[in-house]
Amino acid sequence: MYKNQTLAIVVPCYNEESQIVKVLSTLPEYVDRVYIIDDKSLDKTVEVTQNWISTSATPEKYLLIEHEINSGVGAAIASGYKQAAAEEVDVAVVMAGDAQMAPEDLPDILAPVVDEGYDYSKGNRLFTGDAWNMIPRVRYIGNSILSLLTKIASGYWHIADSQSGYTAINKKALKTIQWDEMYKRYGQPNDLLVKLNIYNFKVKDVPVAPVYNVGEQSGVKPIRMIPRLALLLLRLFVYRMKEKYIIRDFHPLLFFYLFGFILFIPGAILGLDLVITRMLGYAVADTSALFAAFLSIMGVQFLLFAMWFDMESNKNLK
C-alpha cells in the first residue's frame, strides 16, 4: 500500500517485448496490483510477460489481460481502469509498457491524489526548462498544439501536455467515468479530461522528466494526427458545452461562444475572399473591408469573453 491507499499500476502494451521487463522490474514494492494489458501484440510481448510473472517472487500481484483484437491504447487503459474499479482499488496509475515513464516520478504523480484531495493528476513533460532539447521537435510542436486545443475543449485551462499518459486517478473517478464509452486510441487523454471536467473532478499537472530513446518504438505521428484529433476535440467541446452548461447547469457563456462563432467565421471567410480578390488585381469596396473587419473583431471579442467565463467557471477545479 502507499500511505494506506491500495495502488494499482495499469500497463498498456503493444509490441513491447524489448521494454516490458524493464517496466515491470522497476516498479516499487508498495504497488499492490499490476494490470498488464496486451493490445493484441504481434511480437512476443505476451510470452515475455508470462515468463517474467512466473519467475516473480509475487506472481499473484500481476494480472495479464489480453485483447482479442487490437483496439488502441485508450481501450487498453480502459480495460485496466475497469479492473481497478472492480477490485475497489483506491488509486490507479498508468505507466505504459514502453518504459517512457520514470518510476522515480511516481511519488510526485501520486501526491496530488493521495495527499492533496485531487481526483486526477497527470505528468507534464513541458514544464522542464530543457524540454525543447529533450523532446523530439515534431512531437514537441504537435503536443503543444494539441495541448492548446485541449485547454479549450476540456475547460482545464491550467493543464498542459495533454498527450501525457503518466496519470493517477482515484476510486471515485474510476467508478464515475463510463470507460466503455471512452475514445479508444491516441485521443484518450483528451477525451478523459473532457469527461472529468463535466463531473467537476479536480485535476493537477505534475512536472515529470521527458524520457526518450530508451529503446521504445512509437508509430505515433503527432503532426499528422492534429487534423483528426482537432475534429475529435471539436466534438468533445460541443459535448462538454451541452452536458455541463445546458443539461447539468446553465451558463450564459454559451451565447458568447455561439455569437463568437457566428460572427468570426463569416468575417474570416469574407476577409480572406477580399484579400484574394485584391491580390488578383480587382478593386475591393471600403465598406466590404470594414464589414469583414467588424465581423472578425466582434467574433474574436465574443470568443475571448466566452473563454474567460469558462476559465472562471472552472477555476475551482485546479
Side-chain angles (χ1 to χ4, degrees):
M1 300 183 76
Y2 183 81
K3 296 184 178 181
N4 295 320
Q5 300 273 308
T6 52
L7 172 62
I9 304 294
V10 175
V11 186
C13 299
Y14 180 69
N15 293 344
E16 301 293 356
E17 65 177 5
S18 66
Q19 301 295 98
I20 187 61
V21 170
K22 185 186 300 184
V23 174
L24 298 178
S25 61
T26 56
L27 293 178
E29 292 184 1
Y30 55 74
V31 173
D32 298 286
R33 291 285 277 160
V34 181
Y35 310 125
I36 305 102
I37 302 90
D38 179 73
D39 195 32
K40 197 60 176 179
S41 293
L42 302 177
D43 64 0
K44 297 181 179 179
T45 298
V46 170
E47 180 181 339
V48 170
T49 301
Q50 289 174 332
N51 290 340
W52 192 90
I53 293 175
S54 65
T55 58
S56 169
T58 56
E60 68 280 356
K61 178 188 292 189
Y62 302 90
L63 175 64
L64 174 62
I65 301 172
E66 298 181 55
H67 282 183
E68 295 183 359
I69 61 173
N70 177 260
S71 303
V73 62
I77 293 172
S79 293
Y81 280 160
K82 288 191 292 184
Q83 186 65 34
E87 295 186 13
E88 300 287 340
V89 169
D90 292 316
V91 183
V93 173
V94 174
M95 296 181 70
D98 58 7
Q100 283 192 279
M101 298 169 184
E104 296 80 12
D105 289 325
L106 182 55
D108 293 332
I109 293 289
L110 288 168
V113 175
V114 175
D115 300 324
E116 303 171 26
Y118 285 87
D119 302 290
Y120 185 78
S121 63
K122 54 177 290 299
N124 188 334
R125 298 159 295 183
L126 306 182
F127 270 168
T128 175
D130 205 31
W132 175 254
N133 297 318
M134 298 176 68
I135 301 175
R137 294 287 193 272
V138 173
R139 296 183 70 89
Y140 185 98
I141 294 171
N143 197 342
S144 298
I145 294 173
L146 290 173
S147 292
L148 175 60
L149 296 177
T150 301
K151 287 175 181 285
I152 300 171
S154 71
Y156 288 115
W157 296 87
H158 62 291
I159 294 298
D161 194 7
S162 60
Q163 306 315 117
S164 172
Y166 203 171
T167 64
I169 188 169
N170 67 10
K171 182 191 296 186
K172 181 179 179 183
L174 277 173
K175 288 182 168 294
T176 300
I177 304 298
Q178 300 297 313
W179 299 112
D180 288 331
E181 299 175 5
M182 189 61 52
Y183 192 76
K184 298 186 184 303
R185 298 196 178 273
Y186 186 66
Q188 185 268 350
N190 316 80
D191 189 10
L192 179 52
L193 283 172
V194 170
K195 302 293 173 53
L196 290 168
N197 184 270
I198 289 172
Y199 288 102
N200 291 317
F201 285 120
K202 294 180 65 177
V203 176
K204 184 175 183 178
D205 255 353
V206 178
V208 296
V211 179
Y212 288 93
N213 301 316
V214 292
E216 78 281 1
Q217 296 181 359
S218 175
V220 175
K221 308 295 181 183
I223 296 296
R224 295 181 184 178
M225 298 189 73
I226 287 176
R228 179 167 63 84
L229 289 183
L231 291 175
L232 170 66
L233 289 168
L234 177 59
R235 293 198 301 270
L236 291 173
F237 169 77
V238 174
Y239 176 75
R240 183 172 70 91
M241 292 295 109
K242 173 178 69 74
E243 291 291 325
K244 186 163 187 174
Y245 296 127
I246 296 179
I247 294 177
R248 287 169 171 78
D249 194 11
F250 176 77
H251 198 293
L253 68 83
L254 286 168
F255 294 115
F256 281 83
Y257 268 125
L258 179 62
F259 287 126
F261 286 121
I262 289 176
L263 293 171
F264 176 75
I265 293 176
I269 293 174
L270 177 58
L272 179 62
D273 179 67
L274 293 176
V275 169
I276 294 174
T277 300
R278 189 70 184 88
M279 291 176 64
L280 293 176
Y282 298 101
V284 173
D286 292 342
T287 53
S288 298
L290 288 173
F291 185 60
F294 171 78
L295 290 177
S296 300
I297 293 172
M298 290 299 296
V300 169
Q301 288 182 328
F302 271 107
L303 290 174
L304 291 176
F305 272 115
M307 293 178 186
W308 179 55
F309 288 142
D310 200 22
M311 291 176 67
E312 286 296 305
S313 178
N314 290 286
K315 66 181 181 180
N316 62 315
L317 302 183
K318 64 179 182 178

